[in-house]
Amino acid sequence: MENNNEAVNSNFIKTIIDNDLKDKKHNTIVTRFPPEPNGFLHIGHAKAICINFGIAREYGGTCHLRFDDTNPGKENIEYVESIKEDVRWLGFDWQENIFFASDYFEQMYDCAVQLIKQGKAFVCSLSPEEIREYRGTLTDPGRDSPYKNRSIEENLDLFERMKAGEFDEGKYTLRAKIDMASPNINMRDPAIYRIIKKEHHRTSDKWHIYPMYDYAHCLEDALEGITHSLCSLEFEDHRPLYDWFLDELNTEHHPQQIEFSRLNLTYTVLSKRKLIELVESKLVSGWDDPRMPTISGYRRRGFTPESIRVFCEKIGVSRANSMVDVNLLNFCLREELNKSAPRVMAVLRPLKIIITNYPEGKEEYLEADVNPEDPGMGKRMIPFSKEIYIERSDFIEDPPKKYFRLSPGKEVRLNHAWYITCEKVVRNEETSEIIELHCIYDPETKGGWSSDGRKVKGSLHWVSAKHAVDAEVRLYNNLFTTANPNEIDGDATYNDYINPDSIEIIKGCKLEPDLADAKINVRYQFLRLGYYWLDPKDSSKENLVFNRILSLRDKWS
RNA sequence: UGGGGUAUCGCCAAGUGGUAAGGCACCGGGUUUUGGUCUCGGCAUUCGGGGGUUCGAAUCCUCCUACCCCAGCCA
């Protein structure tokens, strides 16, 4: 991937890796991104993806994409496809290293048998409710299951019959024998296999028992020779278990689990539950609604993979719970697009201007930079004629101080065209709504320059009325009105903080004619407005639909 | 009132005993045919709080406080 923007900072994980390399604990680094294929990826996952794939890339190691598919019924193949697409879109390549937990079911089973033989696991007949009772509480120790001292032979027999599908779900579990009095609840004889009689998306009906996360995950990592197993903070308490399994099984590899804090973003929710709620309540149009913090949402909105990668680099990695200002993400996008986006003029809310001293029927083409930040992008020609549109918000009849756009008697520059002065405001007699403006232009200012050194403060974007193409434009804003929708007070629900202006659809927008051939995948800067691109789903030649990816910074409005 | 974590500028975050990086945001000045960009400058005498060790502490010791995570046959 070519980019010079992802300045690489260090963090505590890299420090650990540096030391491991220096101490010859490892010669090469292997990480993994291990999603469960039961939902769509969001920007929080992007952080994990960037960390894992990024570290592998930086150290010349490899990063595995591994689907943690140990719970059929929750998982399905559509999710694995969408996850692959998202990871690829973000710019990462797992090459041949794509794996599935289900590939290891046989080995995991063998390991479980080994644990039973070592007297470290037993088949438990307690019901889920009973298990909960026996587990104790945060402050009180639990009690041993009455089935904890079944003979190894009996355990072996029962476990094999669990595998064979002889029993109903919930009837038995295989549990590790650790310590029911452990202050760490995860160590209180955790279940390692449960009976699930559901079709698995890869192994079909071959299995009737499925391994639990704690047991499966460490084995997957060990089997793949992962060197550093990076996960989020909530798994910290699971690390002793992770190590316990690998120690008891004496695996060849014993990866080191390292936890970091997950991403929170202002004005955004990232929990799976809340995201589902947004989709199911139809507050958004789907998982790829441009307002969604999902990867597919950002993709459709028009965000770039690089801006997301740069963002993930900039936020750093630490163990402190944090809430990152969404402005940082926006900054990353603007920083990139300012350099790369072709400029174009578009009037979202048109106000007609008649240039009274411009010849009727005349038209001429004016030259403009495609991108003043990059002269190499060349020039374009823009048609001008007697009737043009400007933005309604660029005219105020009775302007406030420091307003340097158009108002009666005031002269402004039409970008790349001429200076104009407003001479008359025409209103609808009944509604008194302003319907058009009469202006005169100064023929001596072609291109937007004047030779007399006259200063014109305002520069407006405009579009020739008879040449303009129409389009629908969709403006997007934060989905929530509160910076932290995760923490809302009292009896309000987070639905009370949904931003009613999170989407605004404007029809009849007037665009520079070249935009009739706007290309999908090109992110344009609508001059003075922001960055826009064609909606990948809803736009068509006949009905252009532009998404506003992001507005420009605006210190005035 | 069990266990595991975390506390450095409004938001992220470096810093690992030698006297507080950087980015975002914000505020000013300049440039500018985008009130964009760019550019210059400002923005923690202080590191959750109190004690202590030391010539010297955000970094070590100690006590305290706040917040986060854990009682799925989810991951």
Side-chain angles (χ1 to χ4, degrees):
Chain A
M1 216 165 336
E2 77 310 329
N3 68 72
N4 34 32
N5 206 349
E6 293 167 51
V8 182
N9 299 312
S10 193
N11 59 53
F12 77 99
I13 296 176
K14 292 184 191 175
T15 302
I16 292 172
I17 292 175
D18 288 337
N19 289 331
D20 289 348
L21 254 15
K22 196 180 70 193
D23 299 345
K24 302 280 190 249
K25 181 175 173 186
H26 304 292
N27 298 314
T28 180
I29 300 304
V30 187
T31 57
R32 102 268 93 113
F33 173 61
E36 181 186 15
N38 73 340
F40 291 88
L41 260 30
H42 54 65
I43 186 95
H45 295 108
K47 174 179 178 180
I49 290 167
C50 289
I51 289 173
N52 281 291
F53 279 93
I55 281 178
R57 186 151 72 199
E58 196 179 329
Y59 287 89
T62 53
C63 179
H64 297 182
L65 173 61
R66 183 178 65 229
F67 292 93
D68 213 353
D69 54 349
T70 57
N71 190 355
K74 281 195 168 185
E75 300 149 1
N76 69 252
I77 198 76
E78 279 70 47
Y79 290 124
V80 345
E81 289 312 316
S82 86
I83 288 169
K84 283 160 70 174
E85 183 186 3
D86 289 350
V87 173
R88 232 182 266 119
W89 179 78
L90 277 171
F92 296 105
D93 181 5
W94 53 85
Q95 295 171 318
E96 70 280 12
N97 300 304
I98 179 167
F99 301 99
F100 292 82
S102 49
D103 292 340
Y104 311 124
F105 281 173
E106 206 68 57
Q107 292 160 88
M108 289 175 181
Y109 178 81
D110 292 343
C111 286
V113 169
Q114 186 189 329
L115 282 177
I116 293 172
K117 287 179 178 166
Q118 290 172 201
K120 295 294 184 180
F122 69 101
V123 172
C124 185
S125 307
L126 254 24
S127 69
E129 298 70 38
E130 290 167 325
I131 285 194
R132 198 184 320 127
E133 286 166 27
Y134 275 80
R135 184 157 34 224
T137 69
L138 293 178
T139 48
D140 303 316
R143 292 131 55 210
D144 278 350
S145 161
Y147 304 99
K148 191 167 181 176
N149 11 331
R150 278 211 248 245
S151 70
I152 288 176
E153 292 66 37
E154 191 183 0
N155 283 324
L156 253 13
D157 173 62
L158 252 15
F159 187 48
E160 189 177 329
R161 289 163 64 196
M162 284 167 65
K163 180 194 182 197
E166 278 188 40
F167 311 119
D168 292 338
E169 287 187 17
K171 182 82 177 159
Y172 294 103
T173 53
L174 183 70
R175 291 224 260 158
K177 285 190 197 178
I178 309 181
D179 177 11
M180 289 306 290
S182 172
N184 180 345
I185 291 186
N186 296 119
M187 301 299 271
R188 317 241 261 229
D189 295 1
I192 66 186
Y193 265 96
R194 74 287 215 196
I195 298 169
I196 298 179
K197 301 211 160 168
K198 290 200 174 79
E199 173 97 0
H200 186 282
H201 67 102
R202 299 192 86 236
T203 60
S204 184
D205 59 357
K206 177 173 181 195
W207 294 89
H208 304 102
I209 54 173
Y210 291 89
M212 297 286 291
Y213 168 85
D214 287 308
Y215 174 73
H217 204 90
C218 57
L219 284 177
E220 295 156 22
D221 285 345
L223 257 10
E224 292 177 15
I226 302 296
T227 55
H228 302 269
S229 179
L230 314 179
C231 62
S232 44
L233 249 28
E234 66 268 32
F235 292 104
E236 201 162 2
D237 290 346
H238 297 241
R239 194 171 63 226
L241 229 199
Y242 184 105
D243 290 330
W244 187 88
F245 284 123
L246 298 186
D247 286 342
E248 292 299 334
L249 261 3
N250 194 224
T251 52
E252 185 185 343
H253 297 286
H254 189 140
Q256 178 183 5
Q257 176 179 304
I258 304 172
E259 311 84 16
F260 60 88
S261 61
R262 40 202 292 172
L263 171 68
N264 293 294
L265 252 196
T266 56
Y267 299 98
T268 308
V269 294
L270 291 179
S271 85
K272 188 170 290 177
R273 201 199 95 238
K274 286 172 180 156
L275 258 14
I276 288 173
E277 216 174 309
L278 286 172
V279 173
E280 290 185 342
S281 63
K282 308 271 191 216
L283 253 13
V284 295
S285 63
W287 288 94
D288 66 345
D289 185 296
R291 294 165 292 176
M292 288 287 274
T294 49
I295 302 301
S296 53
Y298 284 114
R299 179 166 55 229
R300 181 170 171 193
R301 169 92 164 250
F303 270 72
T304 62
E306 180 178 326
S307 67
I308 292 174
R309 273 184 264 123
V310 170
F311 169 72
C312 288
E313 181 60 38
K314 282 188 191 297
I315 58 178
V317 183
S318 77
R319 294 172 58 88
N321 292 109
S322 62
M323 169 76 74
V324 176
D325 190 338
V326 73
N327 277 319
L328 182 57
L329 210 210
N330 294 341
F331 168 83
C332 294
L333 195 268
R334 291 189 181 112
E335 185 185 41
E336 179 188 349
L337 261 27
N338 174 54
K339 293 181 199 133
S340 64
R343 270 58 168 178
V344 99
M345 293 198 285
V347 175
L348 268 31
R349 298 177 178 83
L351 171 61
K352 181 173 279 187
I353 288 184
I354 295 175
I355 314 288
T356 53
N357 59 339
Y358 192 85
E360 193 83 45
K362 179 175 179 182
E363 57 185 73
E364 52 195 311
Y365 280 77
L366 301 156
E367 187 184 75
D369 285 323
V370 172
N371 182 354
E373 298 293 316
D374 180 3
M377 290 174 78
K379 309 276 189 188
R380 69 186 198 280
M381 301 304 286
I382 311 163
F384 186 85
S385 62
K386 190 179 179 72
E387 296 189 6
I388 63 168
Y389 294 111
I390 65 162
E391 210 68 62
R392 290 204 92 93
S393 58
D394 282 338
F395 175 81
I396 295 184
E397 196 161 15
D398 185 19
K401 255 201 149 24
K402 293 243 222 124
Y403 181 84
F404 44 85
R405 276 110 100 147
L406 196 61
S407 52
K410 182 101 169 281
E411 183 173 52
V412 298
R413 167 169 41 235
L414 293 179
N415 253 307
H416 313 116
W418 282 277
Y419 290 0
I420 59 167
T421 304
C422 176
E423 302 224 298
K424 185 178 172 196
V425 179
V426 182
R427 324 187 85 99
N428 175 311
E429 284 174 17
E430 281 147 36
T431 66
S432 83
E433 183 199 12
I434 298 173
I435 46 178
E436 63 183 39
L437 265 24
H438 289 358
C439 297
I440 54 167
Y441 84 114
D442 178 353
E444 301 302 308
T445 57
K446 184 167 181 182
W449 300 100
S450 84
S451 50
D452 60 6
R454 172 163 31 125
K455 278 273 190 318
V456 171
K457 187 77 171 155
S459 293
L460 310 187
H461 60 279
W462 53 273
V463 85
S464 165
K466 86 171 174 202
H467 302 274
V469 303
D470 280 35
E472 170 181 329
V473 172
R474 298 172 181 175
L475 307 182
Y476 298 105
N477 291 302
N478 292 334
L479 242 187
F480 294 92
T481 55
T482 175
N484 187 357
N486 302 301
E487 224 166 65
I488 44 185
D489 28 59
D491 35 53
T493 75
Y494 84 115
N495 285 354
D496 296 331
Y497 293 92
I498 292 283
N499 181 4
D501 301 319
S502 63
I503 179 171
E504 185 178 357
I505 297 179
I506 309 176
K507 304 202 182 204
C509 302
K510 303 293 184 181
L511 316 182
E512 197 175 307
D514 283 357
L515 252 14
D517 300 313
K519 292 185 189 61
I520 200 95
N521 289 333
V522 175
R523 295 161 176 94
Y524 297 91
Q525 185 193 105
F526 286 7
L527 212 65
R528 299 211 301 136
L529 297 178
Y531 299 100
Y532 295 73
W533 84 336
L534 252 18
D535 184 87
K537 261 192 175 169
D538 295 345
S539 189
S540 65
K541 266 272 174 276
E542 302 68 43
N543 182 32
L544 295 175
V545 178
F546 278 90
N547 290 335
R548 179 174 74 190
I549 310 169
L550 203 60
S551 68
L552 251 30
R553 280 180 81 225
D554 182 1
K555 293 175 190 155
W556 167 255
S557 79

